[in-house]
Amino acid sequence: MSEVDIIGNQARSKEGRGLSVRGGDSDKWITIQKNTFQNWINLQLHGSGLTVENLQEDLCDGVKLCTLVSALQQKPSIGRVIKKPNNPHQFLENVTLALNAIAADNIRLVNIGSEDIVNGSLKLILGLIWHLILRYQIGKTKFPPKKLMLAWLKAVVPDCQITNFTSDWNDGVNLHAVIDYCQPGLCPDWRQLSRQNRLDNCRNAMMIAQDKFDIPLVVRPEDLASPHLDDLSGMTYLSYFMNVDSPGYLATLRNVNAINTQGGRIDDFSSSWNDGTHLCNLVKSLGQNPGSISPNHVDNIQTGIDCGRRLGVEPILSAKEMADPEVEHLGIMAYAAYFTHLKPVKSLADKAIIDGNFSNVYVGQEKTFRLNIDDDVSAGDFRAEVIGPDSIPPVRLNWSGRTATGSFTPSEMGQHRLNVYCVNEPLASCPIPFKVSSDRSKVTFHPVDRCPVGVITELKVDTSSAGQGDIRMEVETPNGHTMNLPVVYRQSMYTANFTPAEVGDHRIFVHYDNEQIVGSPFVAKAFDPSKVNVYGLEGGSVGRALSFTADSQSAGEGEVSVVVAHNGVTIPSQVITRQNGKHNIDFTPQGAGVYRVQMYYNNVEIRGSPYTLEIVDSSMVSVSGDGLSLVPVNKTASFNVHTRGAGGGNVSVDITSPNGDTVPCDLSSDSGGVLVAEYFPTVVGDHTLRVLCNGTEIADSPYIVKTYDTSAITVTDLPDGYVSQPIIFSIDVSQAGEGQLQIMVNNGNLPNDVEMVQSGVYRISFVPVEPGVQTVDISFNDEALPMSPLTCNAVDLRASIMEIPTLQPVETQSTFLIRSLASDASVAVELMAPSGELVPANLVRQSDGDYKVEWTPTTAGKHSVDVLFAGQQIQGSPFFINVFDINKIRVDNFYNGGLEETAGFNVDCSQAGRAEQSIWVVSPSGRNVPVDIQETRPAEYAVSYVPHEVGRHKIHLTYGALEHPGSPFTQEIGEGALATAHGDGLYRGEEDKPATFFVESGGITGEPTIQVDGPNSIAKCSIDPQPGGRFAVTYVPVETGLFDITVKWNGRDIHGSPFHPRIVDARKVRVIGGWQHYMDSQERIHLVVGEEKHIPFETAEAGPGKLTAEVRGPSGSIVPCTVDDSYNGKSSVVFTPREEGHHSIHLNWSGHPLSGSAFSAYATGGFHDITKIILSGRGLKEATVREEAEFFIDGSQAGRGEPQVQLTGVRAEVNVIISPLGGGKYRCTYIPVIPGAYLLHITWNGRQVKGAPFKVNVIGAFYPNKVAVTGEGLKGGLLGRDLDIRIDTRKAGPGKD
């Protein structure tokens, strides 16, 4: 193999693929490539003073190669370069330095060594330069650059249909097209260029590119026009149009931004696309709805890719690849260029503009705004809502043409937001936030003029006319301290409690929504009544004036008032105000006794008030009261000491208990001048009481007081009993002291017997005569015992059942009463169906003591009712009720002849239960027709009658006094035989499908005439006579809607004519958005367990019908499903899958299945964790041509699901076989046939697993036995002479020697 052949097969592309060599032309493309690479190198060396004249020789010493690498890497130096090498060793050192710098920049050089460059191996030098062009000119990329460059060219000049970098560029036309794309108007007539002027076209285009875009002529025009132009030369030159900031790059940015109406400006095709925002804004500008941006960048990009597919744009990179921060610009630029051929459209969110000022919105005041909509939407597409903190005020839209005036009235303060929806999608400007405030001028404060120190004063703020807002109150004290007051809101009134602690003026600041209300601050004058000093108030004599002083100098601003009273009579007094807060008070006593002086400061009683004065007179003293005779222990006893106007004197009381102890006694005076003596005895027995006045006992002193203790009395429990039977209990009063025991039953209406058992112990009994609560009142010395009254219950066992029905329909609640005089006795009811099962019954206690039993039978037949009262059956129990089910009566087998001929039908009541039935027939004139009823079997009847009138007869049927749901039935009686029509075609049909019905002549001579009228058309129909006087009528409706079918016999309408069939077309029921929107990767409707699924349909053109749906789960069970057809012309199927697996969705329009029904769906689990997918096996990384490679997927910990696997390469796609191993584990195998780099995509339930796509390197098979070794050197040689040995590995496959 010659060196030219080797280069032809190895150096022409990165992948080692080249054009086939054709005879003597094989070296021409090498010359072109060599010139191109040499020109490119000289461009990079510009300014260094070095040039390459001979590519094969000029790089051998490494100096120019090191300079080239340094220029490409933009480094001043890549190391110590020997500037003037003079031997092969120094050549190798320079070249090695350059190759090491290249390798350090992540450029992989395969089979290229320093010796190859020094020895001038053109094959490997060309390969090295191509690697440098790929890395530094075309750009670092993980994908074949040729594929990405072609993708961009196909997107920007689609009319040129470019497929390569060789022959498609020879005539120069496509290059003119690219230039005109980069700057429209530079080559406007490129389509008219003659493809025969190859060289001129190429030269002109390349000169324009050089002049306008500064693109260098790395390829000569004659080389570009040459049929021997190679891929690498073409790619090198055209890369100048595609680099970052190149003419093509900037033109693509310009065109993409021209259609991007939804987002900000796009400035690059690299990392700013990573989060998916640019792509989602782009597809949204073209009418798609990608939804909101999520934190997951890959999901955002995948959403944008899916929208792009719906626009007809297929992705070049995967979502994960586009999310890579190091993504190469070529892939994104090419992909974005495909969108520039599409026209931007407005989304629903941009089809209206909201105009309004929301800066001043107040509670209770109507607010308006304007809504202007586009011409392609209607008023019915819009709705508006306002959402407040705790309310949703209604919004009204009043339309005038394309403009609506919106209005609403907020009812609360706080942050609100306005949303306007177009076909349930919010407008782009929504939500509009705004704050609702109150009207501060309508806030009123209830002022307080004066307030006492230490006493709570309530402050009130009324906001009822302004709306509830944020009220804050502050008080500034006289010494300058400020304090916040807690505020409470009640019934549109804010209140705060204010307790002044010092005398003086307090300023009250009232803030409403952080601003003071009108009149704030308010002043409250605080005073302290306790600081009023009263002196000079002493005793006196009758008729002699008294005067005393009140000093309020330290009490704050205020007024003194005085009330003097004696024996309940107010004595006139006078207050004279002096200087420095002094007040003189004068009054004259009118009689002997105690005077009460009450003093107030600003109407607040001062400390020490009321004061008392003793005015003396002489008289006799006496005593009276209950505390002198019979007294209970442990309670305060009292008696009165009357001084009888004596007006003074020292009165004292001495009390001695039975055990000789002194009992304390307190003396106090009441308002009438009477001394009240109070004492507290604690011992049962006789007490000695002495009353002394000025040390001498009064008359009748001492007194003997007897004390008693009711708490020492014990009473046994009072048991429940029964009417007419005695109830007995005992009382022990032996430790209670002397007294009288009283017992009363039922307020004295029931006598009782008392029997002494022993001294102080008694046995009491009584006999109830009425059922219910029995009350026993017990008192001792007219004092009720602590446990009195005692109660018990007397039960009357008599009971009866009332209002029980003997006949009852099923599924209807029935009630009856249980009446008993013993209202507290236990009641139980058992209702039993004919099958022996208990029927639930609800027992409800009534206010009158009766019990109401509520129950609802569900089956027909004889039911038993068993009533237990106090555990015993009442008289007559069990009772029986016949239950019937009128819905189980069958009325069928109607037959009739003509006038005066027997007509009839059958009635089957055998499954309905026993009840009285009634059947009657009413003629068209309203007369009752005699009916003959024959019982053919038990509860089965044959009913017949003879009609005497022509026309519709009504048949009435009642059962158990209830009319049958189908009653009245109708039966048409004619004059003997009449023509009739029947068949589905009279009632229903489908568009474009034949509908058929039949006309029966009934033996009448003549023929039918039929006309079928649609809403906008007349349907053609055919009439086919058949034996027996029958006519088959067929018509084909060509539209949907309600039709009219007129059937006449001999020119007269038959009975029922005209008929009105409903014509529908299930094909016109279309899913909104297309089925692809709901499909997963396997063309199944995607469902998620527990997540509600909505599938909307457009039904406006399908005719007068109804959409029905049935969803069946993996187990065959029916999944609950509803159809929402509340919107005219639209229906939505709603259901929630309950289990994972395959589902089938059956959809029908008026009984006709939709096209494609039943639809296949698959529900995945609500939770999957793809991070728990485990991958293993050599086949994930490498494989050998024509040998099976394998790897394993373990999803046992990731939740239920299935894997999807795809292995793709530049030249081929390899089929991967997935074999389930059970337990969520899978074995995957594949056999590649072409070597090269491949990408292995693995997803689980449609989501890409971690690490995917994986890079798989497929190598060719190698055969060492096919290596051929030849040459004279194998036979021998001379020392110091070259040996000629040739090694041929062409048939051995890839490998190293």
Side-chain angles (χ1 to χ4, degrees), residues 627-868:
L628 298 172
S629 56
L630 201 60
V631 175
V633 299
N634 298 321
K635 289 185 179 179
T636 300
S638 67
F639 60 93
N640 297 328
V641 180
H642 303 275
T643 59
R644 296 187 180 180
N650 184 22
V651 177
S652 62
V653 177
D654 294 330
I655 303 173
T656 305
S657 69
N659 55 17
D661 294 334
T662 299
V663 179
C665 181
D666 293 330
L667 286 173
S668 62
S669 177
D670 66 7
S671 59
V674 176
L675 293 177
V676 178
E678 295 181 337
Y679 63 98
F680 194 84
T682 60
V683 179
V684 174
D686 293 346
H687 289 62
T688 302
L689 187 149
R690 291 180 171 84
V691 180
L692 301 96
C693 182
N694 292 326
T696 304
E697 284 189 81
I698 67 172
D700 299 328
S701 178
Y703 300 91
I704 303 301
V705 179
K706 298 181 180 294
T707 60
Y708 62 92
D709 187 359
T710 56
S711 66
I713 300 174
T714 59
V715 182
T716 60
D717 292 338
L718 185 63
D720 291 335
Y722 300 97
V723 174
S724 302
Q725 296 184 16
I727 297 176
I728 301 171
F729 65 98
S730 297
I731 301 177
D732 184 353
V733 298
S734 59
Q735 304 299 317
E738 186 177 335
Q740 180 68 35
L741 179 67
Q742 300 94 21
I743 300 170
M744 184 169 59
V745 181
N746 292 347
N747 295 322
N749 294 320
L750 190 65
N752 61 88
D753 293 329
V754 180
E755 178 184 352
M756 180 183 290
V757 178
Q758 62 186 51
S759 178
V761 180
Y762 302 92
R763 179 177 178 271
I764 295 92
S765 66
F766 63 93
V767 179
V769 296
E770 296 288 342
V773 176
Q774 312 294 310
T775 303
V776 179
D777 294 287
I778 305 173
S779 61
F780 190 72
N781 292 331
D782 294 326
E783 180 182 346
L785 299 190
M787 72 289 293
S788 179
L790 306 177
T791 60
C792 65
N793 193 43
V795 177
D796 191 343
L797 297 180
R798 293 176 297 170
S800 60
I801 193 165
M802 309 291 293
E803 301 178 10
I804 188 168
T806 58
L807 190 64
Q808 171 68 29
V810 298
E811 304 297 345
T812 302
Q813 188 182 67
S814 176
T815 62
F816 58 87
L817 295 176
I818 299 174
R819 180 164 296 166
S820 169
L821 299 177
S823 59
D824 290 337
S826 61
V827 178
V829 177
E830 290 185 355
L831 281 138
M832 187 173 295
S835 63
E837 295 181 358
L838 291 178
V839 179
N842 186 26
L843 194 64
V844 182
R845 177 75 178 270
Q846 304 298 295
S847 60
D848 57 3
D850 291 348
Y851 289 87
K852 183 169 73 171
V853 180
E854 300 174 340
W855 69 296
T856 302
T858 59
T859 58
K862 192 173 185 180
H863 289 59
S864 65
V865 182
D866 200 5
V867 181
L868 302 177

Side-chain angles (χ1 to χ4, degrees), residues 240-255:
Y240 284 95
F241 289 89
M242 308 178 201
N243 291 339
V244 175
D245 294 333
S246 67
Y249 185 94
L250 297 177
T252 307
L253 270 180
R254 177 194 66 221
N255 294 341

Side-chain angles (χ1 to χ4, degrees), residues 921-929 949:
V921 178
V922 180
S923 69
S925 64
R927 295 183 176 88
N928 286 338
V929 181
E949 299 179 33

Side-chain angles (χ1 to χ4, degrees), residues 354 358 385-387 415-421 425-434:
I354 300 173
F358 295 90
E385 67 176 8
V386 171
I387 301 175
Q415 199 66 27
H416 288 58
R417 61 183 186 271
L418 168 65
N419 285 311
V420 179
Y421 299 90
E425 181 175 341
L427 297 186
S429 59
C430 290
I432 298 176
F434 60 92

Side-chain angles (χ1 to χ4, degrees), residues 546-578:
L546 287 178
S547 178
F548 61 95
T549 303
D551 185 354
S552 64
Q553 186 174 0
S554 301
E557 184 178 325
E559 298 175 354
V560 173
S561 58
V562 179
V563 177
V564 181
H566 172 58
N567 293 332
V569 178
T570 301
I571 304 302
S573 61
Q574 183 180 14
V575 179
I576 301 173
T577 302
R578 307 296 184 185

Side-chain angles (χ1 to χ4, degrees), residues 346-355 369-384 397-405 420-423 427:
K346 274 191 178 181
S347 66
L348 292 174
D350 296 317
K351 291 187 177 292
I353 297 175
I354 300 173
D355 181 15
F369 61 92
R370 294 173 68 85
L371 180 67
N372 301 304
I373 66 174
D374 290 353
D375 292 337
D376 58 345
V377 289
S378 62
D381 295 331
F382 290 86
R383 63 181 179 88
L397 293 177
N398 296 319
W399 292 92
S400 176
R402 315 300 300 174
T403 301
T405 299
V420 179
Y421 299 90
C422 177
V423 194
L427 297 186

